[in-house]
């Protein structure tokens, strides 16, 4: 039986990956210490998801480990010797990082190095999939010429007709401390691939979403927006007239891409993993779709100041992923994703 080790297993992406690969017959080891509750308070608590995994995955092994604990991680990988490693644990918030610079860097950059080095020593053949972010591009996408449409911004430059490609600059822009710590991790993941010829890849996520996100104001925008809608709580829109555009990918399609990579890995690759142009929405468009499924009007306020370094318009060019893995594509539409998030929040007991 093949073994997969997933860090951040109680989070959105990690939990999806655990279930997906359990269904493919893998023995699943999850690593999570509920740090999300430390980062975001009780609203970020992911224990409910850990309990869900224990219930639905046969022989699920949970490890209450911290990826910052170098010795602990070395011992864990030595003991489990996984056939596959998926690393999703992170301090995931762009906005939070400035208040916790050491925690952010220790988790995102050093934690990733701990995972890579443990893999190199004890599981060098295991495909190593790392969740990176589109914030590695900093706010450079904001320099692309834009056009203002009725409910959204869009690129006004045919070079970006399909979105942002992996060749886009990561240099000379404002990243937020989060973006910078993720750049360090992303480059290190590529380096372990190129330097040590290990099967690694960094997936530069757009908006990753799905019904099992524990959305909070500072991270997980669609999940949090839907939660506010259902609770009648005021959602704050920060700048850009609420027309800022995100591409949203359901966590199921992320797990499917990881499987494609794991089946045919290469060394040190990077991919822009998002929903692509067809799965984009602006914030005000997201309100309208959510209202359709919840039957409730979104309550919101508009704050003139945008978030520091926030993208005005970002969508991923999926062509590199599609050309390396032609069988992969997006299977869950944005509307279906939001419908699932609405249903999940209705049922959720945290
Ligand atoms: N959700 C998004 O929109 C998005 C976008 C781009 C990139 N990403 C990246 O994808 C990855 C997964 O994101 P997510 O939305 O599933 O995040 P999440 O917060 O839902 O899940 C991350 C999990 O990691 C755990 N964790 C954090 N620090 C840890 C530590 N030191 N030791 C052990 N566990 C720890 C948390 O408790 C949490 O359960 C992250 O690397 C994130 O930066 C996410």
């Amino acid at each position: 039986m093949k073994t997969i080790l997933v860090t951040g297993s109680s989070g959105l992406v990690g939990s999806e990956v655990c279930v997906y690969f359990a269904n493919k017959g893998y023995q699943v080891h999850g690593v999570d210490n509920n740090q999300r509750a430390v980062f975001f308070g009780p609203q970020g608590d992911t224990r409910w998801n850990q309990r869900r995994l224990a219930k639905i995955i046969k022989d699920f092994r949970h490890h209450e480990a911290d990826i910052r604990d170098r010795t602990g991680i070395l011992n864990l990988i030595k003991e489990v010797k996984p056939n596959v490693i998926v690393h999703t644990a992170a301090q995931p918030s762009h906005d939070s990082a400035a208040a916790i610079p050491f925690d952010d860097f220790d988790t995102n950059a050093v934690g990733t190095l701990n995972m890579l080095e443990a893999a190199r020593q004890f599981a060098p053949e295991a495909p190593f999939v790392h969740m990176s972010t589109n914030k590695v591009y900093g706010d450079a996408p904001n320099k692309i010429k834009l056009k203002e449409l009725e409910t959204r911004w869009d690129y006004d430059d045919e070079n970006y007709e399909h979105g942002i490609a992996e060749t886009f600059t990561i240099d000379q822009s404002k990243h937020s401390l989060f973006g910078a710590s993720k750049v360090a991790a992303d480059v290190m993941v590529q380096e372990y691939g190129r330097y040590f010829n290990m099967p690694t890849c960094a997936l530069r996520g757009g908006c990753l979403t799905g019904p099992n996100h524990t959305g909070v104001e500072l991270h997980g925008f669609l999940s949090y927006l839907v939660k506010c809608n259902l609770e009648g709580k005021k959602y704050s829109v920060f700048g850009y007239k609420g027309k800022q555009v995100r591409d949203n990918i359901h966590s199921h399609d992320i797990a499917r891409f990881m499987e494609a990579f794991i089946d045919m890995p290469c060394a040190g690759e990077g991919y822009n993993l998002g929903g692509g142009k067809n799965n984009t929405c602006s914030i005000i468009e997201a309100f309208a779709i959510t209202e359709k499924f919840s039957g409730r009007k979104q309550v919101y306020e508009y704050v003139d100041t945008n978030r520091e370094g926030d993208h005005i318009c970002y969508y991923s060019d999926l062509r590199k992923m599609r050309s390396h893995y032609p069988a992969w594509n997006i299977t869950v539409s944005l509307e279906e994703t939001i419908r699932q998030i609405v249903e999940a929040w209705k049922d959720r007991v945290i």
Side-chain angles (χ1 to χ4, degrees):
M1 190 189 230
K2 282 194 173 175
T3 303
I4 185 168
L5 183 136
V6 182
T7 72
S9 46
S10 311
L12 167 79
V13 179
S15 63
E16 182 83 41
V17 171
C18 288
V19 175
Y20 188 89
F21 284 92
N23 289 338
K24 300 277 172 180
Y26 279 75
Q27 160 81 67
V28 182
H29 289 258
V31 176
D32 205 301
N33 64 350
N34 197 25
Q35 191 70 16
R36 190 170 171 92
V38 177
F39 294 140
F40 303 116
Q43 299 298 318
D45 195 310
T46 55
R47 290 286 180 211
W48 67 273
N49 210 5
Q50 181 187 331
R51 287 192 291 274
R52 185 179 71 91
L53 296 182
K55 218 180 272 169
I56 63 177
I57 298 179
K58 194 168 162 261
D59 201 18
F60 175 65
R61 310 274 173 91
H62 176 81
H63 301 271
E64 190 72 21
D66 190 322
I67 58 163
R68 293 170 294 184
D69 172 7
R70 185 165 297 159
T71 311
I73 290 298
L74 281 165
N75 288 338
L76 180 63
I77 305 287
K78 186 177 178 186
E79 180 199 317
V80 175
K81 288 211 170 18
N83 303 100
V84 174
I85 297 173
V86 174
H87 175 42
T88 80
Q91 187 302 101
S93 169
H94 176 83
D95 301 293
S96 300
I100 48 168
F102 293 123
D103 283 347
D104 179 79
F105 199 84
D106 286 346
T107 308
N108 292 350
V110 183
T112 300
L113 176 61
N114 292 343
M115 289 299 303
L116 285 165
E117 186 49 30
R120 187 180 75 83
Q121 290 189 30
F122 303 113
E125 312 283 313
F128 185 108
V129 181
H130 167 66
M131 279 314 311
S132 183
T133 169
N134 62 14
K135 295 294 189 309
V136 300
Y137 300 117
D139 64 356
N142 291 352
K143 293 173 190 155
I144 300 170
K145 188 168 175 233
L146 295 175
K147 57 186 168 200
E148 184 175 358
L149 305 176
E150 202 182 329
T151 56
R152 60 162 68 197
W153 298 98
D154 200 356
Y155 301 129
D156 191 14
D157 180 337
E158 61 185 22
N159 291 317
Y160 299 100
E161 185 192 344
H162 300 282
I164 308 277
E166 292 78 358
T167 47
F168 203 80
T169 180
I170 64 165
D171 199 11
Q172 304 291 317
S173 62
K174 185 188 277 184
H175 291 81
S176 80
L177 296 194
F178 161 75
S181 65
K182 292 294 270 190
V183 166
D186 184 299
V187 172
M188 201 57 104
V189 168
Q190 292 185 53
E191 202 56 39
Y192 268 69
R194 296 211 168 86
Y195 198 92
F196 297 118
N197 199 28
M198 283 167 57
T200 66
C201 76
L203 304 180
R204 296 174 170 173
C207 272
L208 317 180
T209 191
N212 295 312
H213 218 181
T214 313
V216 291
E217 182 169 27
L218 291 172
H219 184 246
F221 113 90
L222 267 183
S223 171
Y224 180 69
L225 182 153
V226 169
K227 184 173 186 240
C228 286
N229 176 289
L230 293 173
E231 290 176 350
K233 191 174 159 195
K234 200 188 288 168
Y235 181 90
S236 301
V237 179
F238 294 97
Y240 304 139
K241 304 183 187 174
K243 295 184 180 186
Q244 50 272 59
V245 167
R246 303 283 178 265
D247 67 329
N248 306 282
I249 181 168
H250 191 292
S251 45
H252 178 69
D253 283 333
I254 302 172
R256 288 178 50 255
F257 183 79
M258 289 177 177
E259 182 185 31
F261 179 84
I262 289 160
D263 286 350
M264 204 179 68
C266 35
E269 271 300 352
Y271 298 98
N272 287 351
L273 171 84
K277 195 169 186 172
N278 289 340
N279 267 11
T280 52
C281 65
S282 67
I283 298 198
I284 50 182
E285 289 168 355
F287 288 162
I289 303 171
T290 303
E291 286 167 0
K292 189 168 105 184
F293 290 115
S294 73
R296 300 181 66 132
K297 202 88 195 127
Q298 188 88 34
V299 182
Y300 70 96
E301 64 173 351
Y302 182 72
V303 181
D304 232 0
T305 324
N306 60 270
R307 289 186 152 127
E308 202 58 38
D310 199 20
H311 291 149
I312 306 172
C313 178
Y314 186 96
Y315 46 91
S316 320
D317 183 341
L318 304 179
R319 287 178 299 171
K320 180 175 174 187
M321 295 172 68
R322 301 289 301 279
S323 74
H324 287 198
Y325 300 98
W328 179 86
N329 56 6
I330 295 285
T331 62
V332 190
S333 69
L334 175 63
E335 291 233 347
E336 171 58 15
T337 302
I338 294 181
R339 188 196 68 74
Q340 288 183 21
I341 299 173
V342 170
E343 291 311 309
W345 271 122
K346 280 187 190 161
D347 295 344
R348 181 98 50 89
V349 183
I350 296 184

